[in-house]
Amino acid sequence: MNSDWRQRSSIFPWAWLAACCIHTTHGLAPCLARLAALLSIVALAACGSLPRTPYTAADASISRVLNLDGLRRYTDEPVANFSFEKSNFSAPRTYLALSGGGADGAYGVGVLAGWTASGTRPTFSVVSGVSTGGLIAPFAFLGPQYDETLKEVYTSGIAESLLADPSIMRVLFGSGLFGNTRLRELVARYVGPEITAAVAREHAMGRRLLVVTTDLDTQRTAIWDMGKIAAIGTPEALQLFRDVMAASASIPLVFPPILIDAEGGGRRFQEMHVDGGVTAPVLTLPDALLLQGRLPGSGRLNIYILVNKKLERTFELVSNTTIDVASRSLSAITQSQTRSVVLSTYDFARRNRLGFHLSYIERDYPPSPSEGFDTAYMRSLYQYGYDKASARRAWTTTPP
């Protein structure tokens, strides 16, 4: 199995799961044998899965979390449902959008630290994060004092523990090969009351922190207002804050979905949320706003899109095997989706005379030599991002 496969798999985790979920070092044949065994029992998984409280589409349409309105919106809602106060756009503002990308999130972390070192990093008015970007977003939002925290998460080796001890039994009797205990523990370790209190203070000053999940029941992209959640200040709100971050990074099949308590139509139930990258590889602006083509209000807005993956197309002679064909195909889908969002946002920015800035991993950067969260690769990628940003070479004003 070549290194290009491993790189593609880190870009598109569902394909990566097929070959390295077993995490074997004994070659392709044992991996395929175990994969075949896994697939043979997937059909039985429904028999062992935990039952859920049923609810309807009507319940979902009016559901609330923590018995409060406005903690989240969906990207397909009408523009009128999003708040664009004139004060929000009366002065220059900066919007940082962090994409998904798994281990390649080390690139974004390096860019942020290098940006700080260059002395040109702004205080972001809005930060959004998807998947690995959802884990980065709260710390990017709070500023350079958390650069070292992010560096520790992405380069110390702690990320490798997320994919330890795969278990076919978890697939049979649950919904994720690795379980989510380590992911939840990682989030809880770095996100405590002091973090949510700091987010709440910035929220009160008009700044916004957004994290994206995919609601599997409705197939909609949920945008969570993390500042509003943090401002509640209760233990339940802290747990929801952590749950949303974990859900945004919960790769289907790899990690179980996060079930979030909700209420609608007088009924209590749990919504099923997974990786935001399933429906939105990066969040820039709501769908309806991009379609409308006009930004409410006036004033200057600079949009920075930090893509934790490669955007440029590459040539590769693909092996005629099921896994390699599936990997290459799924990688192309994700890359195409991300490019589409970037191009739509670029067009929107041009028409509204907004600042557009884009950063991504360049085509010729060497792929990871191993599966999963390879620490040496992530350290190298972090340094690559840091060097580009510190030398003021990380950002371009046009798409590839």
Side-chain angles (χ1 to χ4, degrees):
M1 192 177 302
N2 60 37
S3 59
D4 286 339
W5 150 252
R6 297 183 180 107
Q7 173 63 16
R8 295 198 306 273
S9 61
S10 70
I11 293 175
F12 200 92
W14 294 270
W16 167 84
L17 173 66
C20 71
C21 62
I22 314 315
H23 212 59
T24 181
T25 58
H26 302 294
L28 179 60
C31 182
L32 289 178
R34 297 185 190 184
L35 177 61
L38 171 63
L39 294 176
S40 70
I41 65 173
V42 164
L44 300 176
C47 301
S49 61
L50 296 176
R52 297 183 61 202
T53 300
Y55 69 105
T56 67
D59 297 331
S61 68
I62 56 173
S63 66
R64 302 197 305 173
V65 178
L66 296 184
N67 203 32
L68 292 171
D69 291 319
L71 296 187
R72 43 92 187 281
R73 298 290 184 192
Y74 293 94
T75 57
D76 57 0
E77 291 185 28
V79 172
N81 289 11
F82 294 89
S83 176
F84 298 100
E85 297 88 350
K86 288 184 178 180
S87 59
N88 283 351
F89 297 96
S90 60
R93 295 174 65 82
T94 54
Y95 176 18
L96 174 67
L98 296 156
S99 85
D104 287 348
Y107 172 73
V109 170
V111 168
L112 288 170
W115 205 355
T116 299
S118 74
T120 60
R121 176 175 166 178
T123 298
F124 307 112
S125 308
V126 182
V127 175
S128 72
V130 177
S131 194
T132 196
L135 297 179
I136 298 170
F139 305 101
F141 177 76
L142 292 177
Q145 63 268 38
Y146 288 96
D147 285 353
E148 286 301 313
T149 299
L150 285 173
K151 183 179 180 181
E152 178 179 326
V153 172
Y154 280 83
T155 67
S156 68
I158 190 173
E160 287 195 69
S161 69
L162 296 177
L163 301 184
D165 304 323
S167 171
I168 289 179
M169 296 304 291
R170 291 196 187 99
V171 177
L172 182 60
F173 296 105
S175 50
L177 190 68
F178 294 94
N180 59 21
T181 299
R182 287 183 173 86
L183 178 59
R184 284 183 175 276
E185 288 175 347
L186 177 67
V187 173
R189 174 177 175 178
Y190 290 98
V191 178
E194 69 286 352
I195 292 293
T196 53
V199 170
R201 287 194 295 270
E202 297 303 317
H203 178 81
M205 297 172 63
R207 300 178 64 213
R208 295 293 177 261
L209 171 61
L210 311 173
V211 171
V212 176
T213 65
T214 297
D215 184 335
L216 277 188
D217 294 324
T218 64
Q219 297 184 319
R220 302 174 77 189
T221 306
I223 309 172
W224 295 85
D225 189 334
M226 303 299 277
K228 194 166 186 175
I229 294 172
I232 299 170
T234 63
E236 293 78 13
L238 172 60
Q239 187 58 54
L240 177 60
F241 194 102
R242 290 169 170 171
D243 283 348
V244 170
M245 288 182 63
S248 186
S250 289
I251 304 165
L253 300 183
V254 178
F255 301 118
I258 300 296
L259 299 176
I260 295 179
D261 293 331
E263 184 273 334
R267 306 176 63 189
R268 295 184 180 277
F269 46 85
Q270 290 183 313
E271 300 173 346
M272 181 179 284
H273 289 262
V274 299
D275 194 322
V278 171
T279 51
V282 61
L283 173 71
T284 55
L285 297 165
D287 298 345
L289 188 57
L290 288 173
L291 182 63
Q292 174 180 289
R294 180 177 56 82
L295 186 69
S298 59
R300 180 70 173 174
L301 175 66
N302 279 298
I303 301 176
Y304 292 87
I305 307 176
L306 182 45
V307 177
N308 295 299
K309 60 185 70 175
K310 296 180 179 179
L311 281 180
E312 297 167 299
R313 297 183 179 92
T314 58
F315 172 82
E316 176 190 335
L317 187 63
V318 180
S319 299
N320 191 15
T321 64
T322 300
I323 290 178
D324 280 359
V325 170
S327 167
R328 184 69 168 177
S329 300
L330 295 173
S331 174
I333 291 172
T334 296
Q335 187 181 67
S336 178
Q337 289 175 334
T338 306
R339 287 171 63 92
S340 178
V341 173
V342 168
L343 291 170
S344 296
T345 306
Y346 174 69
D347 181 63
F348 182 91
R350 281 198 310 166
R351 282 183 283 129
N352 288 273
R353 298 183 180 181
L354 308 178
F356 176 89
H357 311 271
L358 175 67
S359 184
Y360 55 93
I361 302 172
E362 293 176 17
R363 184 192 333 228
D364 58 356
Y365 188 81
S368 173
S370 62
E371 303 101 339
F373 295 94
D374 182 272
T375 300
Y377 169 75
M378 293 172 73
R379 288 173 179 168
S380 176
L381 189 57
Y382 168 89
Q383 193 62 46
Y384 166 72
Y386 181 94
D387 291 343
K388 282 180 64 177
S390 61
R392 303 188 183 187
R393 294 184 290 103
W395 300 97
T396 177
T397 56
T398 57

